[in-house]
Amino acid sequence: MDSATRSSKPSSNISDIVYRFAKVCRLRSVGVFSNENPNPNHHHHQNNICKKNGSNKASSDGTEDTECSDQKIHPQPTQIETHEDVAAIAVLKLFDTISALKLAYIELQEGHIPYSPEKIQAADDRIVSELKTLSEIKRSFKNISKPKSSSSLSGPILVEELQNHQFQLEKLQCQIQIKDSDILKLQQEVQELDRKNQELDSMIKQKALDEKRSQPKTFSHAFKAATKSIHDFAKPLISLMKASAWDLDLAVNSIEDSINYSKRSHKKYAFEAYLSRRMFHGFSIKYLSLDDILRFKDPFDALIEYPDSEFAKFCRSKYLLVVHSRMETAFFGNLDQRSFVLSGGHPRTPLYQAFVKMAKCVWVLQAMAASNDSKAEIFGVQRGSEFSELYMEDVVEDKDDTPKPNSKSRLRVGLMIMPGFKIGQTVFRSRVYLTS
């Protein structure tokens, strides 16, 4: 009958509750089994023997222990109550409490007719007690339903969270693809820049090689410009000396005496030699900046813009060395221009402006001599030295005035007009005036 009750399923909620309540409240039976023979027939037989021995008052305690010593009691395992069982008990208790509450309310009404304070107080206490019981049932039922409610809500929450993670993953994958595309583009740009850098490097090397090859040519231009500037400044200087009634022959002899000039006009080379000696006095091959000079068409503007530059100091010192105080007094009747230069100024006079142009060419030549990979070497030629076409050049341009080539070997150096330079294997010959 019990197995039939277990197998049948309740058809309604009330029968289900009653079924669960009966399941919880069912009495557990206790069986007695023998160690040697646990089968049901033997168990029933031994149970009868034990009962018979227990009812016999004449039997002693020792006999009972002997007869029942091989029998053991095996309790059936207690079934664990589930949430459904606890809920069924709570529902039954709820019904009982409601019924008790109704009875207490009826008793409360009966206490009023006839009026009985004792009955009213007792009914009131019972109502309060039942209400507390209802509150406890409500609280316990909430605790029972919490896990189920939590599990029922966790599913949609997990699905939503999973969808969010999936969305973030797709977003990150899209960003990774964009970054990969950017990286590929940057790599292509880097390759293009490397290619252009290689081209520029080749161009720079070629340009450096060309400049190295053209350095002697560039220095040659600077050398010729310096030579011409000295020649050009000698002209106004001689003109001022003539205008001041200077004795030119005496001035020429004071520069270099006992020179046999083939023509009187050749005495101008003595003044050029004088200017060359003064301008190249203390000449040192060192790095000099040309930025403050070459960007001005007129070098005098560079002095006005940078009155305390190295070039400005060079101009002041060389002017005081080239133009003697007696010459300036003879030219201008005073030393105002000299005093102005000594005070750090640069007078805007024709003589000083012409001098600045010559000073610029010598300054550039000095800077070019130091800028070459193979630094230039300056050399001079002493008076009386034998003429050498490898290191010397005759300044006389008129071929008719120049001695015949077969007789040049017997000529000697009378004046050195311009010192010579040597850069590597290239020689820039010294300009000299030859005498017999």
Side-chain angles (χ1 to χ4, degrees):
M1 184 68 181
D2 184 49
S3 61
T5 304
R6 291 181 185 177
S7 61
S8 62
K9 185 176 181 180
S11 60
S12 64
N13 293 334
I14 296 175
S15 61
D16 182 59
I17 293 172
V18 173
Y19 166 74
R20 294 182 184 278
F21 179 73
K23 182 180 177 181
V24 173
C25 298
R26 183 177 67 247
L27 295 175
R28 274 72 172 179
S29 61
V30 178
V32 179
F33 298 93
S34 173
N35 286 338
E36 288 81 5
N37 190 5
N39 62 71
N41 295 328
H42 183 72
H43 166 69
H44 180 71
H45 177 70
Q46 293 294 337
N47 193 22
N48 292 333
I49 294 173
C50 187
K51 287 180 179 179
K52 187 183 290 184
N53 292 333
S55 61
N56 191 358
K57 296 181 180 180
S59 299
S60 63
D61 294 338
T63 305
E64 290 179 1
D65 293 339
T66 303
E67 291 177 353
C68 299
S69 60
D70 57 348
Q71 297 177 355
K72 291 184 179 180
I73 297 174
H74 297 276
Q76 293 183 358
T78 303
Q79 294 182 357
I80 299 174
E81 295 179 350
T82 62
H83 289 290
E84 291 80 0
D85 297 335
V86 177
I89 294 173
V91 171
L92 292 176
K93 190 174 181 181
L94 176 63
F95 290 158
D96 293 340
T97 304
I98 292 174
S99 299
L101 185 61
K102 288 181 178 180
L103 292 175
Y105 182 70
I106 293 172
E107 291 177 358
L108 180 64
Q109 289 179 336
E110 291 177 350
H112 286 80
I113 303 173
Y115 183 78
S116 175
E118 292 80 5
K119 289 184 178 181
I120 293 174
Q121 183 64 39
D124 183 68
D125 293 340
R126 188 175 179 183
I127 289 173
V128 171
S129 177
E130 297 301 333
L131 289 175
K132 290 182 179 179
T133 303
L134 284 175
S135 178
E136 292 176 358
I137 293 172
K138 180 181 179 182
R139 189 183 306 109
S140 63
F141 194 81
K142 283 184 178 180
N143 294 334
I144 294 171
S145 60
K146 270 184 181 179
K148 187 175 181 180
S149 175
S150 175
S151 62
S152 63
L153 293 176
S154 61
I157 293 175
L158 289 175
V159 171
E160 183 179 359
E161 186 175 357
L162 182 61
Q163 290 177 351
N164 290 334
H165 285 300
Q166 185 69 22
F167 175 74
Q168 293 295 333
L169 180 60
E170 293 176 356
K171 186 177 180 181
L172 289 174
Q173 288 177 346
C174 182
Q175 292 178 356
I176 289 173
Q177 292 177 356
I178 294 174
K179 295 297 182 183
D180 289 340
S181 177
D182 293 340
I183 290 172
L184 181 61
K185 184 177 180 181
L186 290 174
Q187 287 177 346
Q188 293 175 352
E189 291 180 359
V190 169
Q191 292 176 357
E192 182 66 18
L193 289 175
D194 289 339
R195 185 185 64 80
K196 291 182 178 180
N197 286 336
Q198 291 178 356
E199 292 179 356
L200 289 175
D201 186 56
S202 300
M203 291 174 61
I204 290 172
K205 289 181 179 179
Q206 184 63 37
K207 186 177 180 180
L209 182 61
D210 294 341
E211 288 180 353
K212 187 175 181 180
R213 292 174 179 174
S214 64
Q215 280 177 356
K217 186 176 181 180
T218 305
F219 185 82
S220 177
H221 292 322
F223 181 79
K224 291 178 180 179
T227 301
K228 185 176 182 300
S229 67
I230 291 174
H231 175 76
D232 292 341
F233 182 71
K235 291 180 180 180
L237 187 65
I238 295 172
S239 298
L240 286 173
M241 294 176 71
K242 288 181 178 180
S244 303
W246 270 53
D247 187 347
L248 295 181
D249 293 333
L250 182 61
V252 168
N253 290 330
S254 64
I255 296 171
E256 199 72 50
D257 61 348
S258 303
I259 299 294
N260 185 16
Y261 297 98
S262 59
K263 284 186 176 182
R264 181 174 177 80
S265 61
H266 291 176
K267 291 184 178 181
K268 64 181 180 181
Y269 295 120
F271 294 102
E272 292 183 16
Y274 166 78
L275 294 175
S276 178
R277 292 175 191 174
R278 297 298 185 182
M279 294 303 296
F280 285 96
H281 176 73
F283 185 90
S284 61
I285 299 176
K286 61 181 180 180
Y287 173 77
L288 299 173
S289 177
L290 298 177
D291 297 337
D292 297 340
I293 303 174
L294 297 181
R295 67 190 187 94
F296 293 98
K297 185 176 181 180
D298 188 351
F300 193 82
D301 294 336
L303 297 179
I304 301 302
E305 185 72 19
Y306 305 103
D308 296 324
S309 63
E310 293 296 324
F311 176 65
K313 295 177 182 178
F314 176 79
C315 289
R316 281 195 293 266
S317 62
K318 291 300 181 180
Y319 176 81
L320 297 175
L321 188 62
V322 169
V323 182
H324 196 271
S325 58
R326 288 186 298 175
M327 295 173 64
E328 189 170 322
T329 302
F331 296 160
F332 307 112
N334 55 58
L335 296 176
D336 293 344
Q337 182 168 300
R338 191 176 190 85
S339 299
F340 188 71
V341 174
L342 285 171
S343 64
H346 300 281
R348 193 181 290 273
T349 61
L351 179 65
Y352 193 81
Q353 288 179 329
F355 168 80
V356 169
K357 291 180 180 179
M358 178 184 66
K360 172 198 170 183
C361 294
V362 176
W363 178 269
V364 171
L365 180 65
Q366 187 174 355
M368 293 295 297
S371 64
N372 289 277
D373 294 337
S374 300
K375 288 188 177 181
E377 299 177 3
I378 186 172
F379 63 90
V381 180
Q382 294 182 354
R383 180 181 176 180
S385 299
E386 185 177 347
F387 177 77
S388 172
E389 290 187 357
L390 180 61
Y391 294 99
M392 302 175 196
E393 178 185 1
D394 190 1
V395 295
V396 178
E397 297 177 356
D398 190 357
K399 300 299 182 181
D400 295 335
D401 295 338
T402 304
K404 300 298 181 183
N406 56 3
S407 62
K408 267 191 176 183
S409 59
R410 298 192 302 269
L411 297 176
R412 301 289 176 175
V413 175
L415 293 171
M416 185 189 71
I417 311 303
M418 186 74 178
F421 291 88
K422 183 179 181 181
I423 301 177
Q425 300 299 322
T426 305
V427 177
F428 298 90
R429 296 182 295 174
S430 173
R431 293 171 60 82
V432 296
Y433 181 78
L434 299 177
T435 60
S436 55

